[in-house]
């Protein structure tokens, strides 16, 4: 067990499946930093919430360093399985196979709460979430929906977003937001069904299948996707993937055995590096946007890991971390929490890492 | 017609009958159901077009809208339970009928039924009979979720503190004590939150107020003394005499109403010109003194500030004020010093009382004496002035600061003799009495009437402080379930309570994971419970399935894990999601089910000649330990791929390996042999050796078995199925029963091998 440091936690009112920061600080017409959380496993009460990041201006002992506030809330049909922001539009996918787009609109005056009296504190909303698009994209057969599992947005397509959605039905669906009735569907792109998708460069889409295979689709030709996997662990299934923002050919994957593996998609013969930061399922990986040697991970074991893939140049890491093959792992936990952390995201401007999971808490941590 | 008319007049006639026939259940079976958990449906209005129906309670206060988000088919119409004209409704002889709601896994629908002789039926509308209650086993609003998650972290923290063996016991006790009071803060926060939430949560507020009351009392009379004992033992501190008395004073003033009925006398007395002459003055002062309230001094000051003509009264009011103000405090004094000062103080009261006894003729002397008696702790006076046993006991504790928990226990018994408990005594009083007479096991047991969370967490903390141990269960069902052959029937009270609490969460749609975490905290039977419950958790996505499997893995429940994997595999098989199905069956080690899929694939190809089904094998990850049948399918797919790209040498190696492996059933052997035909043709066309003499021999051997040997029937049946597509797909002449085309091809190939010489094949040799 690695030495662990503590996270700050506050109630999130629901089992969190996804957390995402809004893409830019001035997106919503003010200087607030906003982020969204989505829940899962709440039957008909799954929700999508927008939070405003609020830090204590003076750090006093025993005072909460963060007091993030819910500024908007809406119901979400099905579990929230994936989430992405573009400007003031929030895209989500659901366990019912839907792709949704919500527009986050700032209200002129605060909206009175009409919340379930028993769950959340009295809240005054500053924003409203307006549904601008809902499409059921994934199903096994007519009338039997399949969970949508991932969405990715084509790089540099913010003005005319092009989106890829994948699901457990093994379909890969490409569409443009403005032309939302024209779908390019790749049936049985992975017959085992998909778990995650990323769009590293304009022409390449990479997916993870339930079977554990990585598939690299190249849009430039009709060729079959390139399939690769860890030859040492062909049966270890992968859960998540992340693309290195400064070197898009490098990706990282997290597996159900707690392994984090980096790959070079130009040469897929085998992994570049492999570390074992967690005991079990790694649910999400995020590269530090400015320091790509740092990789954040979260896991079923209830911890958040910070992995330095290039530990020789480390700064600020204390010497009790685990160093192996030039890799340093540092782990963070909240109190005695051992319930899964399902999702994390990092905001480079506020230098804040947030996470959420099955313990219905929202975790925050400063990371330079 | 004896049905209350409202049903006929207000409601449209139901198109669907009362679909779930109610079995009779006695009301007594529902003792544990609290009214707060019921949603009341009265005059249920059917709306066929909309997916909602509304209900208004008989008193018209609450409006309940029930929304069924699914579809019209799931609407249920709640007709009166009896449609028979011979039955009427009665104010007596009530029966609660209940049935599981067929459209929801966690709700029960209940309604009252009752009978009365027809001649007594006067035609009036009897509201209760029209009310239909929906009861959810769970808190549907999930309002406790935050509290449960927070308290889970505390129980884990307590477990970690207790587990730490290296540190001295006193440190563990201090840490556990902190956790105990952390719980109290959590409960208090919940109480405060509920207070701000209006009428709907009143019942829940009451429950949590009771929980907090019990929790704090246990902290005062069990936990703090335990910590004090260890501190004394370790020479870290000493018994702070009076602590118990002071804490009980605060506790009683927090929880016990000062005046029953509650009235605000302060304002009334303040406005009065001579408060001492007001009727309420003396009783109010007595109650304030009884509760050790500092307000008593304020009240006396109020009187002394006024111009009192009665010199006797003025003198004694000043005296009582002085006595109250000089009550010795215990904080920094040792026992000896404190005892002396307390004795002196009490002697002063006695002297004052003696003086008064000689002045019986004064009108207020009796009142002053009664106050002095309470102050010096006269038990009879205290009991006389108290409204309840608990108030009497608390007053005694306040006026006897040297009492320890043992004295408290004895006096509890005395108080209970004066205020005997009967059938109407509240559950809370019973719990408090049991705890105060230091019978924690009984106290915990009685807490079941209050809340299952309280029972679980209180018993866990008591166990860690070594206050409760095992209890004997007569004919315990759990014991029989867990170990039917064990003669032991003692069970850890902590574990039993935790299991009960966890069991209440296990089928909650959202908190089920917490239930398993609680099971994991139970060393003896936790694993058994996990094993029993985990297989019943429904899953509808891969994500949830992975969470469920992870619980099995972390608890090393191989059998359960494999069973769930098999269930997932079967479900996906029904949905024809073959790749996922194969993955789960392989993980489950279910070779029989894999064999079924294997046959499905082979049959599909034999019948249609379509290789489409083999695309599922692309996504199947195989390793050395994978079953032969799956390796076969994977290689067979590869063989066809190689044929398509024209890599005949490698394709030959694959097909010959598949033929020789004898993994395929004999019904598929003709297909494999026919699959070699393109290789023979290619060899003939290109004039190269693809199939060797050994291959020729193997093919001939199999051909002989099929055509002349023991597999003739299978061969004929297979060829019959192949005929539909073979010529069309492969472009060769139709195949006959003797497979003559293949015999010829082998013969031709022998000539080619003879002519060009046999090449060694890296794949085969």
């Amino acid at each position: 067990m690695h030495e662990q440091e503590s996270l700050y936690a506050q109630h999130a009112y629901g089992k969190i499946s996804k957390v995402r920061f809004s893409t830019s600080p001035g997106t919503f017409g003010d200087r607030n930093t906003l982020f969204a959380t989505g829940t899962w496993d709440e039957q008909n009460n799954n929700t999508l919430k927008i939070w405003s990041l609020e830090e204590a201006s003076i750090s006093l002992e025993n005072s909460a360093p963060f007091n993030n506030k819910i500024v908007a809330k809406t119901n979400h049909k099905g579990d929230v399985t994936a989430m992405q922001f573009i400007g003031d539009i929030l895209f989500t996918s659901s366990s019912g196979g839907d792709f949704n787009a919500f527009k986050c609109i700032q209200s002129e005056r605060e909206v009175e709460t009409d919340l379930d009296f028993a769950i959340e504190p009295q809240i005054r909303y500053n924003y409203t979430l307006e549904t601008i698009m809902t499409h059921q994209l994934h199903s096994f057969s007519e009338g039997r929906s399949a969970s949508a599992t991932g969405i990715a947005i084509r790089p540099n397509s913010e003005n005319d977003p092009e989106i890829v959605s994948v699901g457990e039905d093994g379909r890969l669906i490409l569409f443009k937001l403005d032309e939302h009735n024209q779908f390019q569907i790749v049936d049985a792109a992975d017959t085992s069904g998909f778990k995650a998708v990323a769009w590293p460069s304009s022409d390449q889409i990479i997916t993870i299948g339930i079977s554990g295979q990585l598939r690299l689709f190249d849009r430039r030709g009709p060729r079959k996707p390139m399939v690769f996997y860890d030859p040492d662990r062909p049966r270890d299934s992968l859960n998540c993937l992340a693309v290195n923002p400064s070197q898009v050919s490098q990706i990282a994957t997290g597996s159900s055995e707690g392994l984090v593996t980096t790959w070079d998609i130009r040469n897929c013969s085998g992994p570049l590096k492999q570390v074992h930061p967690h005991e079990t399922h790694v649910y999400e990986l995020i590269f530090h946007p400015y320091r790509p040697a740092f990789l954040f991970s979260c896991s079923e074991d209830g911890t958040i890991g910070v992995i330095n893939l290039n530990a020789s140049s480390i700064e600020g890491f204390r010497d009790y971390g685990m160093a192996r093959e030039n890799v340093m792992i540092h782990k963070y936990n909240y109190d005695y929490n051992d319930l899964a952390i399902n999702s994390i995201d990092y905001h480079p401007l506020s230098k804040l890492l947030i996470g959420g999971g099955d313990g219905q808490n929202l975790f925050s941590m400063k990371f330079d | 017609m004896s049905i209350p008319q409202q049903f006929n007049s207000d409601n449209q006639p139901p198109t669907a009958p009362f679909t779930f026939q109610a079995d009779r259940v006695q009301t007594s079976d529902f003792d544990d159901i609290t009214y707060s958990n019921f949603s009341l449906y009265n005059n249920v209005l059917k709306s066929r077009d909309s997916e909602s129906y509304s209900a208004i309670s008989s008193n018209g206060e609450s409006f309940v809208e029930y929304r069924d988000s699914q579809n019209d088919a799931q609407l249920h119409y709640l007709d009166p339970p009896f449609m028979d004209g011979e039955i009427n409704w009665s104010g007596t002889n009530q029966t609660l009928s209940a049935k599981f709601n067929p459209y929801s896994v966690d709700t029960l629908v209940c309604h009252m039924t009752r009978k009365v002789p027809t001649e007594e039926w006067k035609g009036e509308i009897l509201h209760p009979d029209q009310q239909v209650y929906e009861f959810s086993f769970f808190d549907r609003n999930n309002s406790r979720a935050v509290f449960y998650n927070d308290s889970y972290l505390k129980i884990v923290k307590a477990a970690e503190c207790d587990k730490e063996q290296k540190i001295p016991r006193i440190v563990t006790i201090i840490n556990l004590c902190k956790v105990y009071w952390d719980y109290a803060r959590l409960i208090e926060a919940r109480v405060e939150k509920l207070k701000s939430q209006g009428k709907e949560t009143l019942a829940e507020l009451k429950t949590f107020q009771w929980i907090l009351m019990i929790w704090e009392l246990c902290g005062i009379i069990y936990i703090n003394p335990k910590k004090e004992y260890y501190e004394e033992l370790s020479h870290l501190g000493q018994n702070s005499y009076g602590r118990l008395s002071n804490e009980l004073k605060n506790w009683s003033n927090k929880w016990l109403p000062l005046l029953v009925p509650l009235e605000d006398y302060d304002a009334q007395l303040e406005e009065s010109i001579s408060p001492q002459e007001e009727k309420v003055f003396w009783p109010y002062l007595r109650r304030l003194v009884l509760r050790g309230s500092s307000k008593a001094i304020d009240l006396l000051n109020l009187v002394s500030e006024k111009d009192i003509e009665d010199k006797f009264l003025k003198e004694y009011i000043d005296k009582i004020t002085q006595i109250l103000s000089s009550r010795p405090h215990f904080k920094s004094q040792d026992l000896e010093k404190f005892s002396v000062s307390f004795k002196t103080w009490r002697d002063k009261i006695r002297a004052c009382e003696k003086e008064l006894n000689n002045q019986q003729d004064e009108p207020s002397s009796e009142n002053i004496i009664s106050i002095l008696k309470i102050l010096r702790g006269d038990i009879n006076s205290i009991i006389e002035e108290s409204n309840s046993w608990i108030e009497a006991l608390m007053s005694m504790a306040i006026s006897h600061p040297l009492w320890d928990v043992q004295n408290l226990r004895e006096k509890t018994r005395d108080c209970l003799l004066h205020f005997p408990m009967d059938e109407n005594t509240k559950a809370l009083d019973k719990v408090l009495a049991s705890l105060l007479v230091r019978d924690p096991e009984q106290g915990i047991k009685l807490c079941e009437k209050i809340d299952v969370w309280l029972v679980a967490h209180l018993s866990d903390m008591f166990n860690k402080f070594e206050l409760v141990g095992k209890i004997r269960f007569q004919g315990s069902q759990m014991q029989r379930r867990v170990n039917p052959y064990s003669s032991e029937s003692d069970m850890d009270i902590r574990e039993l309570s935790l299991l009960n609490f966890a069991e209440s969460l296990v089928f909650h749609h959202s908190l089920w994971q917490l239930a398993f975490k609680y099971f994991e905290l139970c060393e003896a039977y936790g694993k058994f419970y996990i094993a029993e419950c985990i297989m019943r958790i429904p899953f509808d996505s891969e994500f949830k399935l992975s969470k469920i499997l992870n619980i099995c893995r972390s608890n090393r429940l191989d059998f359960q894990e494999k069973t769930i994997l098999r269930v997932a595999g079967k479900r996906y098989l029904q949905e024809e999601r073959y790749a996922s199905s194969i993955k789960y069956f392989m993980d489950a080690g279910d070779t029989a089910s894999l064999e079924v899929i294997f046959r499905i694939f082979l049959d599909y190809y034999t019948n249609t000649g379509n290789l489409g089904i083999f695309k599922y094998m692309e996504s199947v990850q195989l390793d050395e330990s994978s079953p032969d049948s799956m390796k076969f399918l994977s290689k067979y797919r590869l063989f066809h791929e190689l044929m398509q790209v024209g890599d005949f040498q490698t394709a030959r190696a694959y097909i010959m390996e598949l033929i020789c492996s004898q993994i395929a059933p004999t019904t598929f052997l003709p297909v494999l042999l026919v699959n070699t035909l393109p290789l023979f043709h290619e060899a003939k066309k290109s004039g190269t050796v693809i199939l060797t003499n050994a291959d020729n021999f193997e093919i001939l051997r199999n051909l002989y078995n099929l055509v002349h040997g023991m597999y003739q029937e299978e061969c004929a049946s297979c060829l019959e199925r192949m005929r539909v597509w073979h010529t069309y797909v492969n472009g060769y002449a139709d195949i006959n029963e003797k497979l003559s085309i293949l015999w010829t091809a082998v013969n031709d190939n022998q000539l080619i091998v003879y002519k060009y010489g046999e090449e060694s094949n890296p794949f085969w040799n």
Side-chain angles (χ1 to χ4, degrees), chain B residues 255-286:
Chain B
W255 294 113
L256 308 177
L258 181 67
L259 298 162
V260 181
L262 283 166
E263 281 175 50
D264 187 11
Y265 289 141
D266 290 334
Q268 192 186 338
L269 292 168
E270 255 178 59
E271 282 167 17
S272 172
I273 303 163
S274 49
Q276 75 281 4
E277 282 169 21
E278 294 288 334
K279 201 179 161 188
V280 296
F281 176 76
W282 290 105
Y284 185 43
L285 182 64
R286 270 200 295 276

Side-chain angles (χ1 to χ4, degrees), chain B residues 14 65 126 149 159 244 320 349 381 468 558 570 578 580 589 651 663 676 722:
Chain B
E65 189 179 50
L126 295 165
N149 278 303
L244 183 71
I320 299 170
I349 301 171
S381 301
V468 289
D558 279 357
K570 279 190 177 145
Y578 293 113
S580 303
I663 293 166
T676 58
M722 283 176 74

